[in-house]
Amino acid sequence: MVTPSWRERIDHWRDSRALRRIAAVVVVIAAFLYPLVASSGTGLDTATVAEVFILLALGLNIVVGFAGLLDLGYAAFFAIGAYTTALLASTHFAIGNQTHTSLLLSYGPNGVHVNFFLLIPIAALAAALCGILFGAPTLRLRGDYLAIVTLGFGEIVPKVIENLGPGNSVGLPNITNGVNDITGIDSPPNINLGPIHWTFQTNDPRPWYYLGLIIVVISVIIIYRLRSSRLGRSWVAIREDEIAAAHAGINITGTRLTAFALGAAFSGFGGLLEASRLGTVDYTEFLFNFSITILVMVILGGMGSIPGAVLGGIVIAYLNQSWLTNAAAGINNFGGWLEKGPGLIHTLGVWLSGLPLASAKPMIFGIILVGIMLLRPQGLLPSGRRARELHPRTAGELAEEDSELYTVRTGEI
Amino acid sequence: MVEILIAGLALGSLYAIVALGYTMVYGIIELINFAHGDVFTFGVFVAIPVLDRLINQSAINISPLQSLIGIGVAMIVSALLCGILGVAIERLAYRPLRNAPRLAPLITAIGVSLIIENALFQWQGGGLIGFPSTLNVVQYPFLGGATITNVQILVIAVAVLMMIGLDLFVNRTNVGKAMRAVAQDREAAAMMGINVDRIISLTFLIGSALAGAGAVIYGIEISEVGYDTGFTLGLFAFTAAVVGGIGNIRGAMLGGILIGVVISWVDNLGSGASAGAGTEWYDVVVFAILVLILVFRPAGLLGTNTTEKV
């Protein structure tokens, strides 16, 4: 009997299921308590953005991480979720001159207003339908073709939104309000449940934060269950070996399609949350660079890893909203201080104080993508299975495994 | 109609040149080199200072000799620098991942594209930059009352020369034969004594150098460039490569010209109430073509159906 090394002990400890559950519960409790300590205002706003990012990262993780399909136009589904909300719950579509009101829906000259809770399935369904509509003809292509087709799709959706505004050149009525954005999107109805009194207003981020948190927690649970379901295991099987999976009786295209549609559905949730929180949608938020931002979240956290997607969403949200600006200011100030020094230090200072960090976000994202792929392809919080797949074993490790096999066979353990 | 066709041919020649780079790299290592479009933009940017030095910008009439020397030197400089950049990208970012799962180099390629694009942004800013004037534009009468400019003739001629040169190189020389061998079966090629790494580097060198040389004629034809020009252009060029049959050099030429003509045609659609419809919708049309080709003829027009290697 060999005593396990520290490294092995740590690995074992980290892999233990009980510990993972405890960690998850601690994180959720901390997240629920966070508004009590957060500086109300910007801090909580960033956290709310992080929730939307987490939803997007979770959804894309199904497509890229579980099913191994590179989707470069994922922001388009986010756009569809957001615009579905905007069209169905704002003053945009005026119908007739009499207002009809019911519990879940009202329409009239003041626009169509669908109840927020009814919109949750509608937004998800709209995004999922677009995923199916678009995925069905293309998902039998090989992976890298799919990447470029999704990229094209991601370019088309914002372009169509832009072109279907008022007075458009194809003679259609004003559908999307084009470059003018859609404003005046409804907030969720007020919630009064026992001790909970939530009023969704722009000046109080707390109800938004809690609403987002609940959606995130439910989504995480759904995705965990999904991953270990028959469907989730089929996704992984196809990713790891398409031919073997097909021989095991898995319908390749159909299974991929479900990954695509379910992945899209989660960005539909994200779009709904974002549109109703901001009260406005703008198609320029959903361009290629945002698709890449979501991809960076998934890659950073670790492809196929659910905690990884959560971490990736949080890190990129904070990087986007505050860290980068703060770091840029800090480095520039530090450069200004160094400028007072002599010779080389002065030159370094001038360079640092003029460093355009704020506009270098795409470069930082690019460095993250390349760096992670070259140095740690399994990401920061890897899923065990994906890590082994992405990190081919060295000859030494293989030999070690062989010798272990040998000792097992000779009964020396 | 003839004018639209000529403009389409000139534009399509540019797409074809960029498409060559995509198709060569895809043919040999099955990677969509997302950075290729940005290498192209880099080529346009480095040509600008060269032309500024060589051609007197304040002159009203530029002598043909000066134009010729200026354009020639700019093409060589740009091709050289782009070639070096292409090889460096391959060496640093793609080679370490050659045996990794397919998704890894693809994601790396996107990262490299972002890095180069942002570096170009930091260098030249976010706006469109005018390309220096290089020659006196002359119009010649052409069929059916249409006209053709010397710029268009130059663009088409340079593109055709490059394509014929590349086609001869790949099909008639020993190195070209080695490239085809590596594309067909890397391991078998290595066993025949071909230095696979060197051939892959060479592929990147040639593809990027062609983009660099093409970048100069792009500047002359379109006359302005932004840091993200290569991104959209690269997408269209990739579409061209797919339409022609990816991995197929003649297919890339055909696809490029087809896409160019389609864009030039759609761009001019719409009049009266729907004026400008074509300009608004042409990228949607191009991507729709991409999707349709991939769905109904994934091997492209000139490609042969291949099954995925196991």
Side-chain angles (χ1 to χ4, degrees), chain B residues 266-305:
Chain B
V266 175
D267 201 16
N268 283 296
L269 285 182
S271 57
S274 56
T279 316
E280 279 177 13
W281 289 93
Y282 74 81
D283 23 14
V284 177
V285 171
V286 172
F287 291 123
I289 292 176
L290 174 69
V291 173
L292 289 177
I293 287 277
L294 285 176
V295 171
F296 292 108
R297 202 177 154 77
L301 296 177
L302 295 188
T304 44
N305 275 305

Side-chain angles (χ1 to χ4, degrees), chain A residues 140 142 144-145 163 169, chain B residues 102 122 246 274 280 294-295:
Chain A
R140 52 194 184 89
R142 36 194 303 173
D144 33 14
Y145 274 12
N163 288 348
S169 59
Chain B
R102 295 180 70 102
Q122 303 294 352
I246 194 127
S274 56
E280 279 177 13
L294 285 176
V295 171

Side-chain angles (χ1 to χ4, degrees), chain B residues 75-180:
Chain B
M75 279 172 79
I76 291 170
V77 170
S78 174
L80 210 64
L81 291 177
C82 284
I84 292 170
L85 181 62
V87 171
I89 293 170
E90 193 274 330
R91 185 74 196 78
L92 297 174
Y94 302 155
R95 190 177 294 181
L97 293 170
R98 202 168 289 156
N99 296 316
R102 295 180 70 102
L103 218 50
L106 201 57
I107 290 166
T108 311
I110 296 163
V112 172
S113 164
L114 287 178
I115 294 172
I116 298 179
E117 204 171 296
N118 195 252
L120 294 174
F121 172 81
Q122 303 294 352
W123 178 22
Q124 297 281 14
L128 285 172
I129 297 165
F131 198 76
S133 52
T134 42
L135 72 177
N136 303 318
V137 180
V138 187
Q139 287 194 329
Y140 305 104
F142 199 66
L143 295 171
T147 54
I148 185 167
T149 64
N150 53 353
V151 174
Q152 287 169 328
I153 296 176
L154 175 82
V155 170
I156 297 172
V158 170
V160 168
L161 279 180
M162 277 188 198
M163 292 174 202
I164 293 176
L166 182 67
D167 200 64
L168 289 177
F169 176 78
V170 172
N171 288 315
R172 299 285 168 83
T173 65
N174 269 336
V175 183
K177 195 187 260 179
M179 281 169 73
R180 282 180 289 139

Side-chain angles (χ1 to χ4, degrees), chain B:
Chain B
M1 196 60 216
V2 179
E3 266 178 18
I4 290 175
L5 200 64
I6 294 170
L9 276 178
L11 190 65
S13 310
L14 294 172
Y15 290 137
I17 293 171
V18 182
L20 288 174
Y22 281 106
T23 220
M24 286 172 75
V25 167
Y26 196 92
I28 209 154
I29 54 172
E30 303 201 332
L31 168 74
I32 300 174
N33 182 13
F34 277 98
H36 190 62
D38 302 300
V39 171
F40 176 86
T41 319
F42 172 72
V44 188
F45 280 175
V46 294
I48 291 174
V50 176
L51 286 169
D52 273 338
R53 297 249 154 75
L54 289 176
I55 294 177
N56 182 6
Q57 293 299 315
S58 55
I60 300 162
N61 275 313
I62 303 164
S63 75
L65 186 70
Q66 206 184 14
S67 294
L68 210 62
I69 293 175
I71 294 172
V73 172
M75 279 172 79
I76 291 170
V77 170
S78 174
L80 210 64
L81 291 177
C82 284
I84 292 170
L85 181 62
V87 171
I89 293 170
E90 193 274 330
R91 185 74 196 78
L92 297 174
Y94 302 155
R95 190 177 294 181
L97 293 170
R98 202 168 289 156
N99 296 316
R102 295 180 70 102
L103 218 50
L106 201 57
I107 290 166
T108 311
I110 296 163
V112 172
S113 164
L114 287 178
I115 294 172
I116 298 179
E117 204 171 296
N118 195 252
L120 294 174
F121 172 81
Q122 303 294 352
W123 178 22
Q124 297 281 14
L128 285 172
I129 297 165
F131 198 76
S133 52
T134 42
L135 72 177
N136 303 318
V137 180
V138 187
Q139 287 194 329
Y140 305 104
F142 199 66
L143 295 171
T147 54
I148 185 167
T149 64
N150 53 353
V151 174
Q152 287 169 328
I153 296 176
L154 175 82
V155 170
I156 297 172
V158 170
V160 168
L161 279 180
M162 277 188 198
M163 292 174 202
I164 293 176
L166 182 67
D167 200 64
L168 289 177
F169 176 78
V170 172
N171 288 315
R172 299 285 168 83
T173 65
N174 269 336
V175 183
K177 195 187 260 179
M179 281 169 73
R180 282 180 289 139
V182 173
Q184 203 168 52
D185 189 330
R186 204 184 298 161
E187 279 173 19
M191 282 177 215
M192 298 298 130
I194 295 170
N195 185 336
V196 172
D197 279 341
R198 192 179 295 164
I199 292 294
I200 292 176
S201 288
L202 185 73
T203 308
F204 273 84
L205 180 75
I206 295 173
S208 307
L210 285 176
V216 179
I217 57 172
Y218 174 89
I220 300 171
E221 156 98 2
I222 310 289
S223 75
E224 56 183 12
V225 57
Y227 74 100
D228 56 354
T229 294
F231 177 72
T232 323
L233 191 120
L235 280 180
F236 288 0
F238 183 81
T239 306
V242 171
V243 168
I246 194 127
N248 184 320
I249 288 173
R250 288 176 193 173
M253 304 174 197
L254 177 69
I257 287 167
L258 277 179
I259 292 288
V261 171
V262 167
I263 288 182
S264 152
W265 177 62
V266 175
D267 201 16
N268 283 296
L269 285 182
S271 57
S274 56
T279 316
E280 279 177 13
W281 289 93
Y282 74 81
D283 23 14
V284 177
V285 171
V286 172
F287 291 123
I289 292 176
L290 174 69
V291 173
L292 289 177
I293 287 277
L294 285 176
V295 171
F296 292 108
R297 202 177 154 77
L301 296 177
L302 295 188
T304 44
N305 275 305
T306 50
T307 46
E308 190 156 355
K309 287 177 200 163
V310 181

